[in-house]
Amino acid sequence: MNYLLIDTSNQPLSVAVMQDDQVLSELNSNEKKNHSVQLMPAIIKVLQSAHVDKKDLDAIVVAEGPGSYTGLRIGVTVAKTLAYALNIKLYGVSSLKALAATVSKTNQLIVPIFDARREAVYAGVYYYDDNQLHCAMNDQYITIEALLNHLHDLQQSYIFVGEDSEKLQDLLDAEFIANLPQAKTMYSLIDTVPNDVYTFKPNYLKISEAERNWLNQQNKN
């Protein structure tokens, strides 16, 4: 089966084409450009490089969140549109779990984080067991202080992962790996049951600041 994998959950962009578990082509970028400008040209480029026509795709895999409101909306919208137009399967994968999967097998807990501002993060806690990645704390919006307290309670060594861990290192208390997302990691994380193209939505975990301001304004009226 041919898969197109898309991760636009944050500033980095990652797109890959795989044939079963073999990577045919991938593009990973951390350019400071809007994903609405980058994504479609990136998809065309990896498909051409893989010598795979879009009509030969069997499934789309997309990072469903959490992450950037705009990034998630663009990635999921493109993924749903392609899946619907091509009448193929659609799979959503946690963007934090996909980031955790960029770390090779380790005995430490893996803590992928995205900066959510105001000393808060989107974070999950994962661990390897029998070469499979498992969840020790569900993805959530959480203050860094609360996250550290939770990690201390687990009484296991841990490592943070993600480019935002470097930016936040003064607030963290363990080593970090500033990995960028790699869309190809999502292949091993897809569920056996595809998502419904019509009802599938990004997992924002927290409404955007623009939405919050609008709701506050409505409550005042």
Side-chain angles (χ1 to χ4, degrees):
M1 291 179 63
N2 293 320
Y3 297 82
L4 172 65
L5 304 101
I6 301 169
D7 189 338
T8 60
S9 52
N10 279 283
Q11 181 63 52
L13 168 72
S14 184
V15 182
V17 175
M18 298 180 66
Q19 189 170 75
D20 296 324
D21 59 354
Q22 179 184 0
V23 179
L24 301 181
S25 177
E26 64 178 320
L27 186 155
N28 302 302
S29 170
N30 198 22
E31 292 184 26
K32 306 301 180 183
K33 292 183 180 179
N34 193 303
H35 291 321
S36 62
V37 176
Q38 292 189 88
L39 183 53
M40 285 310 299
I43 290 173
I44 293 170
K45 185 173 181 177
V46 293
L47 286 172
Q48 290 176 340
S49 179
H51 303 291
V52 172
D53 189 278
K54 63 179 184 294
K55 292 181 293 185
D56 295 323
L57 291 171
D58 299 290
I60 309 287
V61 185
V62 65
E64 65 183 10
S68 158
Y69 179 83
T70 302
L72 290 173
R73 180 171 51 81
I74 292 170
V76 169
T77 298
V78 169
K80 289 180 64 173
T81 300
L82 288 173
Y84 174 78
L86 299 171
N87 192 27
I88 57 178
K89 297 176 181 178
L90 173 68
Y91 296 95
V93 172
S94 160
S95 50
L96 286 169
K97 189 173 185 179
L99 182 59
T102 65
V103 177
S104 301
K105 186 179 178 181
T106 174
N107 292 326
Q108 293 179 295
L109 296 174
I110 304 170
V111 188
I113 59 173
F114 298 141
D115 184 15
R117 301 181 182 179
R118 299 183 178 88
E119 297 189 3
V121 291
Y122 297 111
V125 179
Y126 294 88
Y127 65 94
Y128 278 103
D129 182 32
D130 194 24
N131 292 321
Q132 298 293 317
L133 203 56
H134 299 271
C135 181
M137 184 189 84
N138 291 332
D139 297 349
Q140 56 190 274
Y141 171 81
I142 186 172
T143 65
I144 294 176
E145 180 182 9
L147 173 62
L148 295 181
N149 288 337
H150 178 75
L151 290 169
H152 297 162
D153 290 341
L154 295 176
Q155 298 184 342
Q156 289 181 256
S157 64
Y158 50 87
I159 188 167
F160 295 98
V161 61
E163 65 166 352
D164 287 346
S165 60
E166 182 173 17
K167 178 171 61 175
L168 298 170
Q169 60 181 301
D170 291 342
L171 300 175
L172 306 177
D173 62 357
E175 294 183 356
F176 64 88
I177 305 174
N179 285 356
L180 296 176
Q182 298 177 30
K184 63 186 178 184
T185 64
M186 294 191 292
Y187 172 80
S188 64
L189 307 177
I190 59 176
D191 200 342
T192 55
V193 180
N195 294 95
D196 185 284
V197 174
Y198 298 99
T199 60
F200 180 68
K201 296 180 180 179
N203 179 23
Y204 295 116
L205 282 186
K206 177 175 174 284
I207 64 173
S208 71
E209 187 168 353
E211 285 183 304
R212 185 169 59 251
N213 291 340
W214 182 85
L215 289 172
N216 289 339
Q217 186 62 41
Q218 297 305 303
N219 291 333
K220 292 178 182 179
N221 294 337

